[in-house]
């Protein structure tokens, strides 16, 4: 690393900044149906988090003429890592923009830059851990809000899944070499070309996934964001809540990759897909070797291990497209 005494590191996924073409519908969905707590509203931007999230926000929503993801925030392990990443990224030819403290509410100094696909990432360290007001505060000192206060009520943000028309291997290489992500699982198409990858900086199977598909109209689309539920019973409860709200969804089912259970549901305001996510496995081995799935293996067990896969197994390819479509 040259003159640097240590390699800068990303600690975890921090937040997603959503712009919605129908703000009221998005707020109704995320606040009331999903049950995220609103921290505050500043200059038309609504800041939300799950009941177990400690930082000021894990999702922000503001109105726009169209819907899109403005940026995805990642917290570094050390305050000085932000500047170190900036230096390394610039030396490697990445254009970096500095975000001054307070420019994003409750957040300290940060940098923003784009992946080769055009997805905009933000790196920061300082973020206020805003306490909940007394009416919503948990009696548990190690928890922010009362759990199960409303809606689906996920515990925390979990991961993001980026969709792109860009070369998958190139984005994965950038995430690995520039940002320190580790490749955990991936699958290839019938021509043995890598088209989907799951990477992490934590013990999770993925903090970020990359899906490359010709169905993407742009190289920097979002497939979904995910919030975590504690167990499978919570996921079944979520299905009931979504049915009562007359919201269509895909699932419940279980992925082979990650071994996690899921429900996919779309925000009616922005069209953003949300995955409600639970179970799965953790990775502790320092010498983990990325797991490769062939196209046939992925169709059979990788995406929908059970749940949404067709009972007669006639058209698994169509089912995979259903799970991956925009």
């Amino acid at each position: 690393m040259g003159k640097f005494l240590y390699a800068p590191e990303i600690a975890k996924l921090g937040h997603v900044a959503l712009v919605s073409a129908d703000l009221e519908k998005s707020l109704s969905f995320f606040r009331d149906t999903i049950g995220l707590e609103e921290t505050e509203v500043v200059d038309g931007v609504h800041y939300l988090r799950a009941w177990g999230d400690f930082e000021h926000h894990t999702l922000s929503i503001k109105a726009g003429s169209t819907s899109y993801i403005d940026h995805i925030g990642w917290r570094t392990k050390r305050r000085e890592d932000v500047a170190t990443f900036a230096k390394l990224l610039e030396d490697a030819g990445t254009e970096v923009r500095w975000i001054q403290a307070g420019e994003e509410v409750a957040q300290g100094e940060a940098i923003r830059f784009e992946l080769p696909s055009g997805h905009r990432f933000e790196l920061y360290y300082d973020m206020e851990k805003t306490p909940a007001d007394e009416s919503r505060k948990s009696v548990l000192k190690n928890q922010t809000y009362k759990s199960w206060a409303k809606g689906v009520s996920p515990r925390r943000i979990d991961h993001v899944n980026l969709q792109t028309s860009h070369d998958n291997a190139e984005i994965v290489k950038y995430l690995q070499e520039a940002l320190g992500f580790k490749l955990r699982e991936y699958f290839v198409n019938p021509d043995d070309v890598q088209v989907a990858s799951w990477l992490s900086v934590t013990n999770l199977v993925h903090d970020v996934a990359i899906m490359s598909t010709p169905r993407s109209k742009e190289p920097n689309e979002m497939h979904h964001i995910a919030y975590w539920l504690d167990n499978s019973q919570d996921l079944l409860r979520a299905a009931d809540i979504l049915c009562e709200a007359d919201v269509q969804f895909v699932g419940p089912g279980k992925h082979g990759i990650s071994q996690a259970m899921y429900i996919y549901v779309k925000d009616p305001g922005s069209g953003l897909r949300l995955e409600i996510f639970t179970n799965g496995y953790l990775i502790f081995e320092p010498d983990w070797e990325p797991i490769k799935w062939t196209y046939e293996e992925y169709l059979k067990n990788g995406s929908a291990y059970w749940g949404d896969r067709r009972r007669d197994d006639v058209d698994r390819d169509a089912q995979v497209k259903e799970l991956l479509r925009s």
Side-chain angles (χ1 to χ4, degrees):
M1 299 300 295
K3 66 178 181 180
F4 300 111
L5 299 179
Y6 59 85
E9 297 177 88
I10 295 175
K12 67 184 186 74
L13 173 64
H15 57 267
V16 175
L18 170 64
V19 179
S20 174
D22 193 324
L23 179 61
E24 291 308 312
K25 283 186 178 180
S26 291
L27 290 174
S28 176
F29 174 75
F30 282 107
R31 287 189 312 200
D32 304 329
T33 304
I34 302 304
L36 298 185
E37 299 283 354
E38 189 169 80
T39 313
E40 63 177 325
V41 183
V42 179
D43 297 330
V45 183
H46 296 253
Y47 296 92
L48 304 100
R49 55 185 174 176
W51 57 260
D53 286 325
F54 293 99
E55 294 188 16
H56 177 269
H57 60 279
T58 53
L59 177 68
S60 66
I61 312 176
K62 68 178 182 180
S65 57
T66 60
S67 298
Y68 61 94
I69 299 298
D70 182 78
H71 67 270
I72 301 166
W74 302 85
R75 192 179 187 204
T76 62
K77 285 193 174 181
R78 313 168 190 86
R79 181 174 292 108
E80 55 268 31
D81 283 350
V82 176
T84 305
F85 267 122
K87 172 63 174 172
L88 293 174
L89 288 167
E90 288 176 332
D91 287 349
T94 298
E95 183 177 345
V96 173
R97 176 196 166 199
W98 279 92
I99 306 297
Q100 298 306 309
E103 186 174 333
E104 181 167 343
V105 172
Q107 180 177 276
E109 194 173 50
I111 59 171
R112 288 184 191 167
F113 57 94
E114 293 184 356
L115 306 187
S117 56
H119 292 95
R120 186 180 298 118
F121 275 15
E122 176 178 79
L123 301 182
Y124 68 95
Y125 177 79
D126 292 299
M127 175 71 79
E128 293 178 15
K129 293 181 172 62
T130 310
D133 57 66
E134 288 300 320
S135 65
R136 296 185 290 169
K137 184 179 179 181
S138 173
V139 297
L140 295 174
K141 298 179 72 174
N142 54 8
Q143 183 172 307
T144 309
Y145 294 96
K146 299 174 183 177
S147 55
W148 307 115
K150 58 180 178 176
V152 171
S153 197
R155 176 184 286 268
R156 59 171 175 80
I157 195 169
D158 189 84
H159 66 266
V160 291
N161 188 311
L162 312 180
Q163 183 169 305
T164 182
S165 56
H166 203 84
D167 179 70
N168 197 269
E170 182 181 347
I171 304 173
V172 169
K173 182 179 179 181
Y174 185 92
L175 290 172
Q176 290 175 304
E177 296 183 354
L179 300 176
F181 282 84
K182 297 178 180 179
L183 180 61
R184 303 304 197 177
E185 302 195 46
Y186 67 99
F187 90 86
V188 297
N189 66 16
D191 297 320
D192 201 37
V193 175
Q194 186 171 326
V195 292
S197 306
W198 289 257
L199 306 94
S200 66
V201 288
T202 67
N203 297 117
L204 300 177
V205 176
H206 64 312
D207 298 299
V208 61
I210 310 293
M211 300 288 185
S212 297
T213 169
R215 292 187 298 279
S216 289
K217 298 177 182 178
E218 302 292 339
N220 59 343
E221 297 180 6
M222 175 69 76
H223 188 271
H224 66 262
I225 67 172
Y227 274 83
W228 174 265
L229 294 171
D230 282 347
N231 53 57
S232 56
Q233 184 58 45
D234 294 347
L235 195 75
L236 298 179
R237 174 182 175 273
D240 283 345
I241 290 171
L242 293 173
C243 284
E244 291 285 0
D246 195 26
V247 177
Q248 293 186 339
F249 57 91
V250 175
K254 180 177 178 177
H255 293 307
I257 293 175
S258 81
Q259 298 185 28
M261 293 179 63
Y262 63 85
I263 284 175
Y264 290 104
V265 57
K266 284 191 176 182
D267 163 29
S270 66
L272 174 65
R273 184 186 290 102
L274 169 70
E275 182 179 24
I276 309 168
F277 194 76
T278 191
N279 294 347
Y281 70 94
L282 300 174
I283 296 174
F284 296 100
E285 287 73 16
D287 57 349
W288 180 267
E289 291 294 330
I291 295 173
K292 175 182 177 179
W293 295 74
T294 66
Y295 185 70
E296 292 74 17
E297 291 169 338
Y298 185 76
L299 293 182
K300 183 176 181 181
N301 291 317
S303 180
Y305 181 50
W306 56 256
D308 280 306
R309 63 188 297 174
R310 297 176 185 273
R311 294 180 62 186
D312 58 7
D313 290 337
V314 169
D315 191 3
R316 290 201 190 104
D317 185 52
Q319 182 62 26
V320 170
K321 289 179 180 178
E322 170 68 21
L323 290 172
L324 299 183
R325 71 182 181 181
S326 297

